Amino acid sequence: MAASLLFRNACRRSLLQGYGTGASLPLASARTIVLKPVQPDVRPGESHDDRNARLQRPQSPHLTIYSFQLTSALSITHRFTGLALTGYITALGLGALAMPQDATHYLTMLEGLSAPTLIALKFTIAYPFAYHTVNGVRHLFWDMGKFLTIKEVYTTGYTMLAVSGVLAGLLTAL
């Protein structure tokens, strides 16, 4: 408090020196504003939602007004495919460490599966890889400043879906 008064008086003296001793300045006669803490209108045991309802504050509509957008769906899917790929690599790595037999034993077990089951299994592994790779290339183009208009973002989104489906099909057919 004392430092504040010293600072205020020093500022007044420096301002008055420029105007002479008889000058009156609005800053020199400024009033002090006293701030008082405001007590929130909180009742014991009342939740945030109950308080907002009591004060008649509207609740944000967030998901009720949200419309589906291709861009957000592709972004979320890109994250999930990255998680799936991480899970696959982790499971294969830990499995390789903990396998009582070599990998050829397990590969011969896979040969005994029916064709539709084997195709579904291969596609389940191939699609996240294809999607994440093709969408990653799309993001690299964005990083270079290309295809950033709304029309181009949607066009590249649909193109990426088609290319990743074809690539996953080709990988499944191997």
Side-chain angles (χ1 to χ4, degrees), residues 5-6 15 45 64 69 73 81 98 124-125 141-142 145 154 167 169 171:
L5 288 174
L6 289 173
L15 286 173
T64 58
Q69 295 176 352
T81 56
T124 302
I125 294 170
F141 278 108
W142 287 353
Y154 273 83
L167 181 60
L171 290 173

Side-chain angles (χ1 to χ4, degrees), residues 105-172:
H105 171 74
Y106 296 102
L107 292 175
T108 55
M109 286 176 52
L110 288 176
E111 290 175 355
L113 295 175
S114 66
T117 305
L118 190 58
I119 289 172
L121 182 63
K122 287 170 72 174
F123 189 80
T124 302
I125 294 170
Y127 188 74
F129 174 76
Y131 181 94
H132 201 77
T133 302
V134 175
N135 201 32
V137 170
R138 179 176 174 237
H139 277 266
L140 288 174
F141 278 108
W142 287 353
D143 291 342
M144 291 186 290
K146 300 180 190 280
F147 309 119
L148 293 174
T149 66
I150 295 296
K151 183 179 179 188
E152 291 170 334
V153 167
Y154 273 83
T155 302
T156 58
Y158 287 121
T159 304
M160 184 270 310
L161 283 173
V163 170
S164 63
V166 169
L167 181 60
L170 290 173
L171 290 173
T172 302

Side-chain angles (χ1 to χ4, degrees), residues 42-102:
V42 178
R43 296 181 181 163
E46 185 177 41
S47 73
H48 177 75
D49 292 335
D50 293 338
R51 179 173 178 235
N52 283 339
R54 179 175 50 82
L55 296 174
Q56 297 178 348
R57 293 178 178 161
Q59 186 177 13
S60 175
H62 62 289
L63 293 177
T64 58
I65 64 165
Y66 184 79
S67 62
F68 174 79
Q69 295 176 352
L70 177 70
T71 53
S72 57
L74 294 180
S75 175
I76 292 167
T77 307
H78 185 77
R79 294 163 198 246
F80 281 129
T81 56
L83 286 172
L85 291 172
T86 302
Y88 292 158
I89 294 298
T90 303
L92 288 173
L94 292 175
L97 289 174
M99 281 186 204
Q101 299 173 353
D102 63 344

